[in-house]
Amino acid sequence: MATKIRLQRGGRKGYAVYRIVIADERAPRDGRFIEKLGTYNPNTNPASIDLDFDRALYWVEVGAQPTDTVRTILKREGVYMMKHLRGGVKKGAFDEEAALNKFEAWKNGKEKVLNAISDKELKNKKDLASKKLEEEKKINEAIAKKVAEKKAAEAVAKAEAEAGATEEAPAEA
């Protein structure tokens, strides 16, 4: 039986959320599966991934073939990096402890990059919000200035009308 690591779609229309599953390649996309490895939500920024690392590593090592998207997810999570390092341990290039140290260094570097991306997104959102606020303040000031000019013009017109009424009143009396 040939096994695949693939995505099983869930969620609502226009808002897909996926399960990462091990399935027989002949099974339908959303059908029967052998094991659930985790979830993948591409709707968040960056995409959120919850993965059972040890089981995913096991399945990759025993020969389950991932789809292209799942391969990208597994590479991002470090499953393929750990498989590579374990291969080096088996060949005698370095010991298990050195492999774990290399993996931790890689993982920390990857987390820094992801944190930098999310921080940049947050900063861009804040900058955009402050720009919109400044533009709105300028528009409100312009509107307030026009209203003040209109009220001043009305007050002048009212004063002239009252002055004209007082001048006409004694002439009639």
Side-chain angles (χ1 to χ4, degrees):
M1 170 173 73
T3 56
K4 291 273 238 193
I5 306 174
R6 64 182 182 200
L7 298 176
Q8 188 177 53
R9 192 181 195 283
R12 66 177 192 268
K13 180 178 173 184
Y15 192 86
V17 179
Y18 300 93
R19 288 189 219 165
I20 302 169
V21 297
I22 303 295
D24 183 4
E25 67 180 8
R26 296 169 293 184
R29 179 193 72 180
D30 296 338
R32 191 171 177 184
F33 62 90
I34 299 168
E35 183 179 349
K36 178 184 171 189
L37 297 179
T39 59
Y40 168 61
N41 185 357
N43 301 307
T44 60
N45 190 9
S48 59
I49 301 167
D50 180 33
L51 183 69
D52 185 351
F53 186 85
D54 296 328
R55 292 304 294 169
L57 182 60
Y58 164 78
W59 281 104
V60 168
E61 286 181 340
V62 296
Q65 294 298 312
T67 60
D68 293 338
T69 306
V70 174
R71 184 178 299 113
T72 303
I73 291 170
L74 295 177
K75 284 180 181 179
R76 176 180 163 189
E77 292 297 307
V79 173
Y80 276 94
M81 180 68 166
M82 183 55 90
K83 179 184 175 195
H84 174 72
L85 292 172
R86 280 191 175 181
V89 170
K90 286 179 186 175
K91 291 178 182 177
F94 41 82
D95 61 345
E96 186 73 30
E97 188 176 322
L100 290 176
N101 289 338
K102 287 182 179 185
F103 181 72
E104 287 300 319
W106 176 85
K107 192 173 184 179
N108 290 337
K110 194 75 162 177
E111 285 178 7
K112 285 180 184 178
V113 169
L114 290 176
N115 288 339
I117 290 171
S118 62
D119 290 345
K120 185 178 179 182
E121 286 290 325
L122 184 62
K123 184 177 182 262
N124 288 342
K125 283 183 182 180
K126 285 183 179 180
D127 290 345
L128 184 63
S130 65
K131 281 182 182 180
K132 285 184 178 181
L133 182 63
E134 290 297 321
E135 289 174 3
E136 192 172 330
K137 283 181 181 180
K138 288 178 183 178
I139 291 170
N140 288 342
E141 288 173 3
I143 291 171
K145 186 177 178 182
K146 287 180 182 179
V147 168
E149 289 173 358
K150 187 175 180 181
K151 284 184 179 181
E154 287 177 359
V156 169
K158 186 177 180 182
E160 289 176 356
E162 287 178 4
T166 49
E167 289 177 6
E168 292 177 15
E172 293 177 9

